[in-house]
Amino acid sequence: MAEDHKHLHVAMFPWFAMGHLTAYMNFSNKLAEQGHRVSFLSPSKPHPLISTLNAHPHLITLIHVPIPQVPGLDPSIQTTADFTDFKTERNLLATAFDRTAPFIESFLHESKPDVVFHDFSHWLPQIARTNQTLAVAFFTVSAACLAQTLIQKEKADQVLRPPPDFPGASVRLRKHEIRQAVTLLKEGFGDGRSIRERIVNVVTSSDAVAIKTCRELEGHYLDYIEKHSNQVVLTAGPTLPVPPSAPLEEGVATWLGKFRPKSVIFCAFGSQCVLPLDQFQELVLGIELTGLPFLIALKPPAEAESLEAALPEGFKQRTEDWGMVTGEWVQQQQILGHESVGCFVTHCGSGSLTEGLISECQLVLLPFMGDQYVNARVMGEDLRVGVEVEKGDEDGLFDRHGVCKAVKQVMDMEDGVGKEVKMNHDKWRNVLLTPGLEKSCVAEMVGKLKELLLPVKV
């Protein structure tokens, strides 16, 4: 029985996307800090990067999950970061993900962990139950996003009118976002289920739901989820990243060191976001218009053979003394912590927002898909900790002037919007960094998990 031992053996099996893998490793570190043992199940290709985030290798073991062959899926593709054709390859990777079920079943049968945390594997709870393991759906998106997903319907007009008891009056999707959401609901994902069907199935079939948040930040959304899912809802805390042990790469540090404190704009959109060429150019031209030094880290547009070829004519020559553009992976945490960096233009991915919130950088919000839209509304309109770039309601397009306007608004911290978002950001950063907040969230979660385990481990 779970009560017979103080520490748990926990398994982690996230969807094969870097944002999910990173968040699960951050959560693993929080559990390991309190002495719990973690088996982290993932493909081998991201192991080197995940290992750098593993702060407790004596308690957290990385376990290689072989990727089954799927016709049409290049064997080199192990995570969504490897995609070149997002829509097609995502569906194929989801199929391969589902076909790992026999391996996962064998692992659960042999290792018998107390709990397995998962997100997209709707088939896992039944396997776990057979092996007397508790299955907990752990979502790396915000509670607001999960609440929005649970209420979404297949028709646009139904998405436009959320239920009267939905807690977020400011969390409203634009017309182009609704069309994207409705399209997504109809797309197959692996075995034909849409992402929403998969998530709802995971929520309803698991033994509990855990979310990467805290009650201080999203209590009203957590109450809504609990009411409408009829599930035990647990909070993992914000699962803040472990402070990086590696210093910022010397070349980048030297370049940033040329500029005055809090003056540099840092723009990065994660491992999946690929902008169309025209929007890529509007973005970089908008940042140039601010007149502030900048570091831009983006994937090249699909229409361009390289990042340099995608840059607007004359851009590189005009900005060579005060701008850096790269398509390589960068040390985001270290860059956000550099004294010269004062503004973070983010796509509003969950992990990036967490890193942005605990930094002292002003936030400019520019979402492009899925949960990013809800995250942007929560940050920009609910919590008022950043400014969202204006887009066309119908077409979802932005221009250079909208980018420049948003950056200038947040960077003017003496008055108006910039002053307001800085005050709110400072408040929430202090909440998230409150000593003991995460530890108490994890301890409370573990206590509830042990209660749930009592009828299982008998």
Side-chain angles (χ1 to χ4, degrees), residues 362-363 379-387 409-428:
Q362 297 286 83
L363 302 179
M379 295 295 117
E381 299 180 28
D382 194 354
L383 302 179
R384 298 287 294 166
V385 296
V387 171
Q409 278 186 311
V410 300
M411 292 298 273
D412 179 6
M413 290 169 270
E414 299 301 316
D415 196 18
V417 174
K419 182 178 181 181
E420 179 191 1
V421 298
K422 184 180 187 309
M423 288 175 60
N424 290 331
H425 189 170
D426 288 345
K427 180 186 80 172
W428 284 111

Side-chain angles (χ1 to χ4, degrees), residues 20-64:
H20 294 236
L21 291 162
T22 300
Y24 269 64
M25 179 51 74
N26 289 336
F27 180 38
S28 298
N29 283 323
K30 307 307 174 186
L31 288 165
E33 280 173 15
Q34 298 189 24
H36 304 291
R37 185 161 60 93
V38 179
S39 295
F40 197 99
L41 298 142
S42 81
S44 59
K45 194 171 182 179
H47 277 194
L49 180 57
I50 297 171
S51 294
T52 66
L53 305 175
N54 184 355
H56 303 274
H58 62 295
L59 285 172
I60 303 172
T61 304
L62 300 187
I63 295 174
H64 168 220

Side-chain angles (χ1 to χ4, degrees), residues 9 57 87 114 119 137 216 275 300 323 393-394 420:
H9 175 201
K87 184 176 177 180
D114 298 297
D119 47 12
E216 290 82 353
L275 295 177
D393 191 34
E394 286 286 350
E420 179 191 1

Side-chain angles (χ1 to χ4, degrees), residues 144-145 147-153 155-162 166 168-185 367-378 381 388 391-394 396:
C145 183
Q148 179 81 16
T149 302
L150 292 174
I151 69 165
Q152 280 193 8
K153 308 297 182 184
K155 295 181 180 178
D157 61 336
Q158 293 173 316
V159 179
L160 276 167
R161 295 195 303 272
F166 189 72
S170 60
V171 181
R172 293 290 184 271
L173 299 182
R174 318 292 193 232
K175 289 181 180 178
H176 69 276
E177 296 166 353
I178 290 169
R179 285 198 304 272
Q180 187 190 88
V182 171
T183 300
L184 186 65
L185 292 174
F368 293 100
M369 61 183 290
D371 65 307
Q372 298 166 12
Y373 298 129
V374 177
N375 293 341
R377 298 304 115 74
V378 171
E381 299 180 28
E388 188 170 349
K391 288 184 180 181
D393 191 34
E394 286 286 350

